[in-house]
Amino acid sequence: MADRLTRVRRVLTAAPADLLVEHLGAELARSAGVAETELLQVDLRLSALIPLHGGAHVVGAGHPAWRCFDHQAEVIEDGVLHLPATMRGERWGVLRLAPAPGDPRLRAELAEVATLLAHELAAVTGGTDRYAKGTRTRRLTLAAEMQWDMLPGRSRIRPSFALAGQLEPAYAVRGDSFDWADDGERVWLATVNGMGDGVNSSMLTCLGTNALRNARRSGLELADQASLADQAIYAYHRGTQHLSALLLELDLRTGLVTAVDAGSPRLVLLRGGEVVDQALDEQFPLGMFDGTIYQPQHFKLTVGDRLFVVSDGIFDAVSRSGRYGESALHRFLRRTGSLAPLEAVRSLLGDLRAFVGSDLVDDAVAVCLDWTGPQDQ
């Protein structure tokens, strides 16, 4: 087993960036008797699994590939093995292999191979467009291209937390975005919404996000991060444009959350099956005025708590029957308690699209954060 995994690792690291799956397939055919190797990548809307080498998109929820993706476990059907291609919680898609080996030890080894492939995909995506092109069912707007390229990922898992986010409309999002980072002791989460339309909104969000990253990476406290970003945006736009933001810092050892609400999206807490709005004192959006001083606020999570951050594009969405609203939002969030964060945000935005009857018109962002308590990292 170790020898085969070592060979696979060497094959993947030596393969050209755009030919990872082809070189992996050749190695698995030689060493494991796998005749067909295909990567199904999840699209930007989290609604289709797209074969890298072409063919029909997988869209049915009951399909074995989707069951594998949703449950993050091997699925065998009609002699085909489906394995989750996931890296540190970031779900790239599904590795499809045929014929499915009968030996469970070999299948366990191939599950590790799928994880190795996901890690290598993460390493090479900055140098090739092949995989990024394979995650879209239609062309992105320029603003959306900028937004997706700036994200840290869509999901992240460590023993003490799980985190996921999604943007809508996926192919035409403008100013809504999110950012996160962790160091094993803390998680930082920012959700932002740049005012305006199109590329102007996206450029403002890009400026604000990178100003917040610069402040965070300089070791500043959360409120000072907000102040630095506020100064950067004001210096450039002189108050004519501003950025709404919610900044959170979660202490993974204690569950203490530090927050700065700068005209932010809504923060909702799911605890023991009950949903409550987490009230925060709203402060000025970033860049609205010169030299704004931001004040941090604090609240405590208990083990098993789930936080949702949702923008006004969600609860203000309208259809012929009316406004989606807080009541519908709360009812739906209660039903997500058993879902992993990525399924929770995907289900929420899918429910919203079904309510509207089409793609969303206004930007929407949804982020879900679970705190599972202090753990060895």
Side-chain angles (χ1 to χ4, degrees):
M1 174 178 176
D3 289 344
R4 186 183 287 113
L5 286 175
T6 298
R7 287 196 301 270
V8 167
R9 187 177 287 108
R10 288 172 178 168
V11 165
L12 287 173
T13 55
D18 60 320
L19 296 175
L20 293 178
V21 179
E22 289 81 358
H23 282 236
L24 174 62
E27 172 59 26
L28 293 182
R30 185 192 68 80
S31 65
V34 174
E36 299 177 19
T37 298
E38 179 62 289
L39 174 66
L40 308 177
Q41 295 187 105
V42 68
D43 85 311
L44 295 177
R45 285 184 71 191
L46 295 171
S47 61
L49 292 167
I50 306 173
L52 183 65
H53 296 98
H57 297 176
V58 179
V59 296
H63 191 281
W66 270 116
R67 298 204 308 271
C68 171
F69 183 86
D70 286 339
H71 300 293
Q72 290 293 284
E74 75 165 39
V75 174
I76 302 174
E77 188 167 305
D78 297 329
V80 179
L81 174 64
H82 300 84
L83 297 165
T86 299
M87 184 275 300
R88 302 183 188 276
E90 181 69 16
R91 302 186 188 185
W92 290 91
V94 172
L95 183 63
R96 184 173 66 195
L97 305 173
D103 184 354
R105 292 174 298 180
L106 178 54
R107 295 200 305 272
E109 188 175 338
L110 292 174
E112 293 192 45
V113 168
T115 300
L116 290 175
L117 174 61
H119 277 266
E120 199 61 30
L121 287 166
V124 304
T125 48
T128 178
D129 289 336
R130 188 183 187 195
Y131 308 106
K133 288 165 64 178
T135 62
R136 50 193 75 184
T137 59
R138 60 181 183 268
R139 183 178 177 181
L140 275 71
T141 64
L142 176 56
E145 188 80 53
M146 295 168 65
Q147 294 294 73
W148 282 106
D149 198 49
M150 190 168 52
L151 292 183
R154 272 194 292 202
S155 53
R156 181 84 167 96
I157 296 175
R158 290 189 73 156
S160 54
F161 75 93
L163 176 63
Q166 176 66 6
L167 306 178
E168 287 288 342
Y171 291 88
V173 67
R174 298 171 292 277
D176 281 17
S177 189
F178 57 84
D179 190 36
W180 64 60
D182 77 273
D183 66 0
E185 295 183 352
R186 292 166 294 177
V187 175
W188 293 269
L189 170 63
T191 52
V192 299
N193 179 9
M195 68 174 291
D197 295 314
V199 172
N200 286 335
S201 180
S202 184
M203 290 178 65
L204 176 59
T205 294
C206 182
L207 172 62
T209 299
N210 281 286
L212 288 168
R213 287 175 176 173
N214 177 255
R216 186 185 72 226
R217 292 165 181 171
S218 298
L220 298 183
E221 297 295 329
L222 197 70
D224 293 331
Q225 294 174 28
S227 294
L228 187 146
D230 171 72
Q231 292 165 20
I233 295 170
Y234 186 84
Y236 193 81
H237 291 288
R238 311 306 297 180
T240 60
Q241 286 189 274
H242 51 78
L243 184 81
S244 298
L246 175 62
L247 311 183
L248 301 176
E249 179 184 312
L250 169 61
D251 188 319
L252 295 170
R253 298 162 298 183
T254 66
L256 180 67
V257 177
T258 303
V260 173
D261 181 345
S264 74
R266 191 73 57 86
L267 181 61
V268 182
L269 173 66
L270 179 61
R271 173 179 292 170
E274 294 301 319
V275 177
V276 294
D277 287 312
Q278 181 64 52
L280 296 171
D281 295 330
E282 188 173 324
Q283 302 174 69
F284 290 127
L286 305 179
M288 179 174 280
F289 300 108
D290 187 17
T292 301
I293 302 300
Y294 292 91
Q295 301 298 326
Q297 301 168 70
H298 304 279
F299 61 92
K300 195 78 173 288
L301 297 182
T302 61
V303 174
D305 277 354
R306 166 169 285 184
L307 286 175
F308 279 97
V309 184
V310 293
S311 67
D312 56 7
I314 291 179
F315 47 82
D316 284 344
V318 295
S319 71
R320 292 180 179 179
S321 61
R323 179 173 172 266
Y324 191 70
E326 295 178 11
S327 296
L329 175 64
H330 284 198
R331 282 196 303 271
F332 191 85
L333 294 185
R334 287 189 191 97
R335 302 202 298 267
T336 69
S338 62
L339 301 177
L342 188 64
E343 277 91 55
V345 296
R346 178 160 68 100
S347 297
L348 171 60
L349 292 169
D351 185 68
L352 195 65
R353 287 195 298 267
F355 173 80
V356 173
S358 65
D359 279 346
L360 303 186
V361 175
D362 293 331
D363 280 8
V365 61
V367 180
C368 178
L369 170 61
D370 289 350
W371 182 55
T372 50
Q375 309 279 341
D376 292 333
Q377 299 297 314

